[in-house]
């Protein structure tokens, strides 16, 4: 364990050098342009922006273990948001298309730092659409992504040149591969191989039930397979987003929580709301720092954030 004095000395040099570098100036400009483009795009599509939720008794259980930070407030237990999945579903009672630039905290294991694409605090653009299918939101993402690449090439020409980045604008529709086909082709650790092997973004679809959380909808035509998807960036940059159609009926949600061997008690508020009636929907979340890293062509995600939270490290 590093002492606070050692940390202060090392950290001040690290942050001073990075923050005053030319690349950080460019990364923050790319961040600004990307957020502005995405927000405007969704505004034009009649989406309503909802404010982020930081603390709640319910948050995304995720499908992999992370340390659960719990905070006691006014005698109640709150968690820090890992994703706003449930709040998105609930917000659809107010408006039929919603989005949020949502700060998330996921205390991942230290080894995740090696991937170059994990931070334990990050922002995702999380959106959800009432009565939409998976294909509807995939189409929305394709239009938004293609538009953003064009926008960056048009407005950030000098910055991309300075970084030596040749940012390709892909053509929609993007290729699709099912989870089981990807596994058969590349082995169980297929995400990197799939990303390296493609020079345009590629959809990973039909993820098996045990590989994802309980809230993604099971395909009635393929039991055990979910109506969900990831988008994988090309050139080895890995996962860009994940999303899907959602379970919204009380009994289906209970069944899926039980299948995951999770505790229905932990989701009593969600279940109570579901018994009053939730709406069918589909949506996804795009990691913003990963997006900035991709646009800039950086090797590591730290370079895409001014105050990156690297798993296992003390960060400011
Ligand atoms: N935001 C993702 C979704 O909409 C969930 C996640 O971040 N795990 O499916």
């Amino acid at each position: 364990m590093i002492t606070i004095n050692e940390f202060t000395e090392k950290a001040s040099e690290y942050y001073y050098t990075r923050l005053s570098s030319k690349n950080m100036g460019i990364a923050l400009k790319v961040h600004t342009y990307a957020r502005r483009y995405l927000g405007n795009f969704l505004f034009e599509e009649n989406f309503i922006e909802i404010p982020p939720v930081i603390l709640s008794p319910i948050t995304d259980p995720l499908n992999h273990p992370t340390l659960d930070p719990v905070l006691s407030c006014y005698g109640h237990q709150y968690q820090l948001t890992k994703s706003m999945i449930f709040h998105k579903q609930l917000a659809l009672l107010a408006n039929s298309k919603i989005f949020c630039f949502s700060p998330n905290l996921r205390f991942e294991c230290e080894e995740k730092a090696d991937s170059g694409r994990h931070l334990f605090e990050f922002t995702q653009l999380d959106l959800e659409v009432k009565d939409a299918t998976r294909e509807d939101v995939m189409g929305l993402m394709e239009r938004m992504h293609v538009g953003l690449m064009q926008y960056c090439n048009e407005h950030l020409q000098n910055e991309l040149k300075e970084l030596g980045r040749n940012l390709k604008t892909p053509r929609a529709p993007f290729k699709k591969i099912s989870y089981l086909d990807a596994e058969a082709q590349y082995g169980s650790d297929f995400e990197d191989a799939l990303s390296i092997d493609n020079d345009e973004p590629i959809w990973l679809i039909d993820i098996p039930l045990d590989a994802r959380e309980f809230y993604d909808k099971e395909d009635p035509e393929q039991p055990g397979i979910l109506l969900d998807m990831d988008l994988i960036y090309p050139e080895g940059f890995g996962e860009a987003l994940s999303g899907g159609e959602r379970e919204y009926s009380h009994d289906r949600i209970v069944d899926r929580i039980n299948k995951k061997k999770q505790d229905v008690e932990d989701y009593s508020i969600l279940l109570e709301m579901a018994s009053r009636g939730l709406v069918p929907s589909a949506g996804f979340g795009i990691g913003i720092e990963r997006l900035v890293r991709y646009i800039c062509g950086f090797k590591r995600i730290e370079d895409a954030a001014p105050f990156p939270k690297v798993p296992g490290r003390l960060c400011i």
Side-chain angles (χ1 to χ4, degrees), residues 24-44:
M24 184 52 68
I26 295 177
L28 291 178
K29 188 164 178 183
V30 168
H31 187 148
T32 304
Y33 276 62
R35 264 180 86 134
R36 162 174 281 219
Y37 177 86
L38 297 169
N40 283 347
F41 178 96
L42 293 173
F43 181 77
E44 294 295 327

Side-chain angles (χ1 to χ4, degrees), residues 1-10 314:
M1 182 75 89
I2 170 169
T3 69
I4 197 74
N5 281 345
E6 285 165 348
F7 169 72
T8 305
E9 198 178 308
K10 275 197 183 152
L314 180 57

Side-chain angles (χ1 to χ4, degrees), residues 7 61 83 90 102 232 297 314:
F7 169 72
S83 98
L90 297 177
S102 167
I232 310 288
L314 180 57

Side-chain angles (χ1 to χ4, degrees), residues 262-296:
Q262 286 164 347
D263 190 351
V264 281
E265 282 284 300
D266 292 345
Y267 300 96
S268 53
I269 297 171
L270 176 74
L271 290 169
E272 200 54 44
M273 302 281 278
S275 60
R276 286 165 192 261
L278 295 178
V279 297
S281 68
F284 57 75
I286 313 171
I288 294 296
E289 291 81 357
R290 289 182 176 184
L291 174 63
V292 172
R293 172 190 176 223
Y294 174 69
I295 296 171
C296 294

Side-chain angles (χ1 to χ4, degrees), residues 6-68:
E6 285 165 348
F7 169 72
T8 305
E9 198 178 308
K10 275 197 183 152
S12 65
E13 190 192 330
Y14 173 75
Y15 286 106
Y16 201 94
T17 311
R18 292 177 72 257
L19 287 167
S20 42
S21 72
K22 199 185 256 176
N23 279 9
M24 184 52 68
I26 295 177
L28 291 178
K29 188 164 178 183
V30 168
H31 187 148
T32 304
Y33 276 62
R35 264 180 86 134
R36 162 174 281 219
Y37 177 86
L38 297 169
N40 283 347
F41 178 96
L42 293 173
F43 181 77
E44 294 295 327
E45 297 262 337
N46 299 317
F47 276 75
I48 297 296
E49 182 167 8
I50 61 168
V53 170
I54 308 285
L55 286 176
S56 174
I58 46 167
T59 192
D60 196 327
L62 301 178
N63 200 56
H64 62 280
T66 59
L67 192 90
D68 281 339

Side-chain angles (χ1 to χ4, degrees), residues 60 62 83 85 88 106 124 126 215 242-243 246 284-285:
D60 196 327
L62 301 178
S83 98
I85 182 65
K88 288 198 299 178
R106 298 181 186 175
Q124 63 172 319
D126 227 345
Y215 50 75
S242 61
R246 316 299 184 185
F284 57 75

